[in-house]
Each structure stands twice: as structure tokens, then as C-alpha cells.
Amino acid sequence: MAKKASGDKGSQKPERRLVAQNRKARHKYEILETLECGLVLVGSEVKSLRAGHCSLDEAYGRLKDGEVWLIGCNIPEYTEANRFNHNPTRPRKLLLHRREIRRFAARAMEKGLTLVPLEIYFKGSRAKVLMALARGKKLHDKRQAMKKAEAERAIRRAMFDRRS
């Protein structure tokens, strides 16, 4: 049986390196569905992301003219790029197939649903965004989730104490 060449790209999955995460999103929203999207960036944005600089706190997705855009994502300027730098909060186009836009982003037009970015990461050499179709949680939902998490912590604590 012949061995695969070490340079064969099909033999291994590209590594996934997390750059930024929107932790508040999982608390504020009920995540219904997720989808990995490509991201259109300029050179200085890629350099800044590779350095680990990005904020998704105020970011959201918007459907406009049949395309999906990431709005409010802050990728700070890359200091070495000087005059060729980018606008840190410019809208960035998300790369999706047409059928994904129709199925996923069009559902965001429903009442109470929104597109929220959960993570930005590099998959191989490409920048990707994990977008979620989400519904805002009400205050009682947040309280219920906090009670559940506290109960789970108490159970874990009790099991750990028994082992000792």
C-alpha cells in the first residue's frame, strides 16, 4: 500500500486558531443555529487579527442587497501599516453561498431573530467567522440559566468533596 505524500493537503484537517470570542452573546441570546462564514479582509486587517487584536462585543450581522455584512466588529489598526491602514469599524462582507444566504440569513428577517458573531478564528490561512442565528433572552430566561449553572456547580462541588 502506497503512503500519502507529506505535502498532501487532503490527509489532515487545517488547524483552527481562535482570535476573538463573543462571550456575552451566549448569555444575552438563545442560539438557534450556527454557520461558518468566510470574511473579506484587507492586508492590514489580517495582520492585526494574526496579532490577536479584535473585538466582537458590539458586532452583528445584517442582510443588505442579497449579501451578508458584519457590522460593528472592531479590528484595530495595524501599527506597521502606516498610511495603508484600514478603518477599524468598517462593515465587512461575509462569504456565503446563495443557498446559505436564503436559508440562514433570510430567517434573520423574522421578528425577534438576529445574526450574531460568536467567534473569529483562522482555519488554515483563512479568516472565518462563526455566525449564529439567535433570539434575545428575556430576563427570566437569564435568571433560569443562572440557577441551572449554580445547581450544576453545587453538584460538582459536592462530588469533589466526596472524593477527598
Side-chain angles (χ1 to χ4, degrees):
M1 189 170 190
K3 280 186 170 182
K4 285 189 174 181
S6 62
D8 187 13
K9 290 185 179 183
S11 63
Q12 59 211 359
K13 285 186 176 179
E15 76 282 355
R16 186 172 177 258
R17 192 172 66 83
L18 186 64
V19 176
Q21 195 171 29
N22 191 350
R23 293 189 178 147
K24 289 182 181 178
R26 295 196 189 271
H27 178 70
K28 289 182 179 179
Y29 300 98
E30 174 189 351
I31 308 300
L32 304 175
E33 192 177 344
T34 61
L35 183 68
E36 181 181 78
C37 308
L39 190 58
V40 176
L41 300 170
V42 296
S44 59
E45 289 174 324
V46 175
K47 294 273 193 176
S48 189
L49 279 179
R50 288 201 186 277
H53 304 297
C54 182
S55 173
L56 292 174
D57 290 342
E58 302 294 321
Y60 59 96
R62 173 69 37 103
L63 185 63
K64 183 178 176 187
D65 299 328
E67 297 175 335
V68 183
W69 294 83
L70 181 63
I71 298 172
C73 175
N74 186 5
I75 300 176
E77 292 183 344
Y78 184 65
T79 56
E80 312 301 321
N82 58 44
R83 66 184 178 152
F84 299 109
N85 244 320
H86 61 276
N87 179 3
T89 57
R90 75 177 183 87
R92 293 168 179 90
K93 186 176 175 180
L94 297 177
L95 302 173
L96 294 160
H97 292 285
R98 281 197 183 102
R99 69 180 184 281
E100 291 173 335
I101 292 173
R102 279 195 304 269
R103 183 181 61 82
F104 188 74
R107 280 186 61 197
M109 302 304 277
E110 291 179 29
K111 185 172 175 135
L113 296 181
T114 186
L115 289 173
V116 179
L118 298 177
E119 299 175 346
I120 289 186
Y121 53 90
F122 282 100
K123 190 172 183 182
S125 61
R126 313 267 170 136
K128 302 283 183 174
V129 178
L130 184 65
M131 293 295 287
L133 187 63
R135 177 178 289 122
K137 283 186 183 178
K138 303 285 187 245
L139 182 60
H140 61 84
D141 293 334
K142 291 179 189 177
R143 287 180 183 158
Q144 202 170 25
M146 287 170 52
K147 282 180 187 176
K148 183 179 175 184
E150 182 59 38
E152 288 174 3
R153 272 195 295 274
I155 291 169
R156 270 191 264 121
R157 219 178 290 127
M159 295 206 34
F160 182 75
D161 288 343
R162 277 195 184 156
R163 284 189 227 155
S164 300

